[in-house]
């Protein structure tokens, strides 16, 4: 039996300025026993509209987003190509003689566009003086969000040469000396 623990069934991921990173985690079991074998291979199959759009190898080696090598939890990260409704299934293959395979249940997950601020001024890496105007646009995907109800509230944080930290919100500026 293959158990898919991430993404959670029906999970919604937010696509702001960049594609979100989805963590995929699954494990293989024989009854209640967690299988840990160097001959076990897990692959996630990503579907959109019933069609396979990607295959992702999962790892139990302490890399690729996997927390601990050899614990029987296979993990990978994945970036969806576009906002859409997806499904995911995981296939486990135990390569012994004869090979055995099993599939997880199919879990839907969703990637949806969310508004994000796009900084216009100052430019990243640009110099900031004592008085600086911060300008930004509210974006949805690659389009400016044009709405009477769209508002953008911001906080600006910075430090001076003496490591005094500042926080400027909509109506106040706070300062905290470094200790």
């Amino acid at each position: 039996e293959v158990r898919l623990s991430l993404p959670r069934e029906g999970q919604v991921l937010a696509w702001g300025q960049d594609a979100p990173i989805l963590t995929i985690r699954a494990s293989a079991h024989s009854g209640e026993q967690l299988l840990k074998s160097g001959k076990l291979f897990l692959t996630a199959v990503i579907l959109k509209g019933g069609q396979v759009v990607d295959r992702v190898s999962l790892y139990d080696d302490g890399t690729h987003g996997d927390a601990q090598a050899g614990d029987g939890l296979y993990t990978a990260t994945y970036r969806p190509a576009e906002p859409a409704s997806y499904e995911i299934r995981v296939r486990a293959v135990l390569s012994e003689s004869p090979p055995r395979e099993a599939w997880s249940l199919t879990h839907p997950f969703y990637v949806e566009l969310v508004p994000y601020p796009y900084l216009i001024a100052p430019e990243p890496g640009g110099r900031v003086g004592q008085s600086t105007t911060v300008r930004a646009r509210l974006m949805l995907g690659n389009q400016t969000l044009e709405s009477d109800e769209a508002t953008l509230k911001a906080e600006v944080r910075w430090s001076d040469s003496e490591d005094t930290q500042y926080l400027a919100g909509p109506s106040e500026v706070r300062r905290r000396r470094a200790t």
Side-chain angles (χ1 to χ4, degrees):
E1 171 189 16
V2 180
R3 298 179 189 166
L4 180 59
S5 56
L6 288 176
R8 291 179 310 280
E9 187 170 357
Q11 183 173 345
V12 178
L13 300 166
W15 184 310
Q17 188 167 357
D18 292 315
I21 298 174
L22 174 70
T23 299
I24 303 167
R25 183 171 300 127
S27 54
H29 299 259
S30 178
E32 287 304 310
Q33 181 182 356
L34 180 63
L35 298 178
K36 300 178 190 179
S37 169
K39 296 180 179 182
L40 185 61
F41 301 94
L42 275 69
T43 304
V45 177
I46 313 292
L47 304 118
K48 184 175 80 172
Q51 301 296 313
V52 174
V53 293
D54 246 324
R55 287 178 171 58
V56 181
S57 296
L58 278 65
Y59 299 89
D60 185 21
D61 62 359
T63 66
H64 306 89
D66 184 55
Q68 183 178 341
D71 63 357
L73 300 177
Y74 289 73
T75 311
T77 57
Y78 174 72
R79 279 189 180 253
E82 62 186 342
S85 297
Y86 294 92
E87 293 180 319
I88 184 170
R89 290 183 73 193
V90 174
R91 177 181 178 230
V93 175
L94 186 57
S95 63
E96 50 187 32
S97 189
R100 293 187 295 163
E101 82 170 31
W103 286 86
S104 72
L105 295 175
T106 301
H107 285 199
F109 70 95
Y110 309 94
V111 180
E112 297 181 0
L113 286 175
V114 295
Y116 66 92
Y118 177 75
L119 191 62
I120 299 168
E123 292 185 18
R127 292 193 52 105
V128 177
Q130 282 185 321
S131 176
T132 300
T133 300
V134 176
R135 293 185 343 187
R137 285 193 182 109
L138 196 55
M139 307 290 289
L140 186 62
N142 60 1
Q143 303 292 317
T144 300
L145 189 59
E146 307 270 346
S147 169
D148 293 336
E149 297 179 22
T151 59
L152 181 63
K153 292 183 181 179
E155 290 185 347
V156 179
R157 298 172 187 263
W158 72 95
S159 299
D160 63 17
S161 60
E162 296 161 3
D163 272 348
T164 300
Q165 296 179 359
Y166 296 87
L167 169 64
S171 61
E172 66 177 323
V173 174
R174 290 182 272 159
R175 149 179 110 158
R176 185 178 77 212
R177 289 238 179 243
T179 55

